[in-house]
């Protein structure tokens, strides 16, 4: 009697997609940048985790989660939304630094810290990855 059962291996769905690496890099940049100093003053530095860094931290986890989901539309949303939110927060903080420096006439006293710079880089990486995913679909 012939065996009618299929011997083909089950189809496995890939977890990673074309934007996974960029989203993981952008998410880790935002995650680390959220915890580092965002403002350097003559009296010490101010951590991002004390304020808007908490928002960028949550966006970092959203980006990393999207890198591990195999659905393209979800990945696009998980890349562009955190990228745009982090970019808006970084822009707001830079505008605030400029405003405080101008109002106190203390140019060069308030400087952006490495955490703010890393968050800006994360926004660039996430937005670029999202745009690349949009072009691929």
């Amino acid at each position: 009697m012939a065996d009618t059962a299929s011997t083909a291996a089950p189809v496995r769905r890939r977890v990673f997609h074309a934007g996974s690496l960029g989203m993981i890099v952008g998410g880790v940049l935002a995650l680390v940048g959220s915890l580092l100093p965002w403002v350097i003053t003559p009296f010490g530095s101010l951590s991002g985790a004390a304020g808007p860094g908490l928002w960028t931290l949550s966006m970092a986890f959203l980006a990393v989660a999207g890198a591990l989901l195999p659905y393209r539309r979800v990945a696009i949303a998980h890349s562009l939304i955190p990228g745009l939110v982090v970019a808006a927060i970084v822009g707001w903080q830079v505008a605030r630094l400029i405003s405080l420096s101008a109002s106190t006439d203390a140019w060069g006293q308030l400087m952006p810290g490495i955490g703010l710079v890393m968050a800006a880089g994360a926004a660039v990486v996430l937005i670029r990855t999202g745009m690349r995913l949009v072009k691929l679909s």
Side-chain angles (χ1 to χ4, degrees), residues 33 46 54 56-57 59 69 75 85 88 93 113 115-117 125 129 135:
L46 303 172
L54 295 176
T56 58
L57 185 66
M59 293 296 112
L69 295 173
V85 169
Q93 290 299 302
L116 191 61
V117 174
V125 170
T129 301
K135 286 182 183 177

Side-chain angles (χ1 to χ4, degrees), residues 10-50:
V11 177
R12 292 181 61 192
R13 187 170 180 111
R14 294 181 58 198
V15 173
F16 294 110
H17 50 78
S20 288
L21 181 64
M23 291 173 70
I24 289 173
V25 169
V28 169
L29 276 173
L31 188 135
V32 173
S34 298
L35 302 173
L36 292 176
W38 276 35
V39 179
I40 299 171
T41 69
F43 304 108
S45 51
L46 303 172
S47 175

Side-chain angles (χ1 to χ4, degrees), residues 2-137:
D3 185 21
T4 59
S6 174
T7 59
V11 177
R12 292 181 61 192
R13 187 170 180 111
R14 294 181 58 198
V15 173
F16 294 110
H17 50 78
S20 288
L21 181 64
M23 291 173 70
I24 289 173
V25 169
V28 169
L29 276 173
L31 188 135
V32 173
S34 298
L35 302 173
L36 292 176
W38 276 35
V39 179
I40 299 171
T41 69
F43 304 108
S45 51
L46 303 172
S47 175
L54 295 176
W55 287 96
T56 58
L57 185 66
S58 63
M59 293 296 112
F61 284 115
L62 193 63
V64 172
L68 303 175
L69 295 173
Y71 307 107
R72 185 177 301 263
R73 288 186 180 152
V74 173
I76 291 170
H78 276 253
S79 182
L80 288 178
I81 292 171
L84 293 172
V85 169
V86 170
I89 291 171
V90 167
W92 168 50
Q93 290 299 302
V94 169
R96 184 155 165 78
L97 281 175
I98 292 171
S99 171
L100 287 173
S101 294
S103 66
T104 60
D105 199 29
W107 291 101
Q109 299 297 315
L110 298 175
M111 300 295 291
I114 188 66
L116 191 61
V117 174
M118 285 180 75
V124 170
V125 170
L126 288 171
I127 292 171
R128 183 181 179 282
T129 301
M131 295 306 293
R132 192 170 128 227
L133 286 172
V134 167
K135 286 182 183 177
L136 287 177
S137 53

